[in-house]
Amino acid sequence: MSQVTVVTLQKAKEKKDKITCLTSYDATSAALVDQAGVDVILVGDSLGMVIQGESSTIPVTLEEMAYHTRCVAKGVSHALVIADLPFGSYQTVTQALASSAILMKAGANMVKLEGAFVEVIEALVAQGIPVCGHLGLLPQSVNRFGGYVVQGKGEEAGLVLKQANAVVEAGAQLLVLECIPSELAGTLTAQISIPTIGIGAGVDCDGQVLVLHDMLGMTLGRKARFVKDFLAESGSIGNALAQFVSEVKNQQFPDKQHSY
Ligand code: KIV
C-alpha cells in the first residue's frame, strides 16, 4: 500500500472512488486501522468524550491533541493523518499557525478546524499546512447550537453551501460534513472541487468517517442515528474494519437508516 496524500484523495474524488476514514487515538488502534486499508485516520477531539470521559470536546487541550497525534503517527505507515485543532486553539491567525505547527511536528499530515474561518485557513495554507474544513454540526459549538442537532435543514441549507464555497476558496483540501440532510450533502459534494467526508451526511459524500469506538460498538449513552456497530455483525475487530472499508467503497454504508 502506498502513502495516502492530499493528491491521492483529490484523485479519488475525480475517479469517484469512495474515501474511508476512522478516528484513532493510540498507536495500536491506528496500526490496525491502517493495516485494514483505511485511507485517512483522524485524531479527533472526540477523544475528549471517548478517552477522557468528558461530556463534550470543549475541554480538550492542544497538548493532549499533540500527545495523541504523536501516538497515532507511530502506528501508521500509509494512511493520511489528520489532527483536530481543539476548541480555543485557532481564535487568531497567529494562534492557529502556532497550534498547527505543534500538531504537524507531532506527526499530523493535515489539520482540521470547525467553521468557515477563511482568514485562518488562508494563512495555514500559505505556510504549507494542509487544512480540512468541518461544517454542519460543529461539536465545539454545541453550546451555541443548544445540543447535537441536525444542521442545514430548510433555509439553513444556503448558509452551509455558502460556507463550503468560502472554505474551498480559502484553500482547504478536504471537508468534513457532519449531520446535515443527505440531499444537501449530495448537492454540495457535486458542486465543490474538493473531497467531502460525511458523518451523518448520507451516501453521496466522497467518503465516510466514523468514531472508531462507535463502529466497534463501544458507544456510551445516546447512540446517534449515523452510528453503525460493525463489530456486532462481523465478530472480530479485523473483520469489522474490513467490513467498514468494503461497505463504504461499495456505497452500502451509510444506508437510509443511518442518514438524515
Ligand atoms: O472529533 C472527531 O472525531 C470528529 C469526527 C466526528 C468527524 O471531528
Side-chain angles (χ1 to χ4, degrees), residues 23 25 42 44-46 84 112 114 134 176 178 199 209 211:
T23 66
Y25 316 106
L42 171 65
D45 60 358
S46 50
D84 263 339
K112 175 163 83 60
E114 297 183 8
H134 184 153
V176 166
E178 180 163 356
I199 175 161
V209 56
V211 167

Side-chain angles (χ1 to χ4, degrees), residues 157-177:
L159 176 65
V160 180
L161 285 170
K162 205 171 143 195
Q163 288 174 330
N165 284 312
V167 164
V168 176
E169 286 255 304
Q173 287 171 288
L174 199 60
L175 178 59
V176 166
L177 297 172

Side-chain angles (χ1 to χ4, degrees), residues 43-48 52 54 56-66 83-92 95-96 99 103 112-115 117 134 138-145 148:
V43 189
D45 60 358
S46 50
L47 69 85
Q52 300 174 333
E54 301 286 357
S56 79
T57 59
I58 292 171
V60 178
T61 67
L62 182 63
E63 290 68 28
E64 289 162 351
M65 288 307 304
D84 263 339
L85 281 162
F87 179 76
S89 72
Y90 52 101
Q91 288 170 329
T92 64
Q95 191 194 18
S99 303
L103 297 180
K112 175 163 83 60
L113 58 89
E114 297 183 8
F117 294 107
H134 184 153
L138 310 179
Q140 293 174 11
S141 301
V142 61
N143 291 307
R144 184 168 64 77
F145 292 147
Y148 295 97

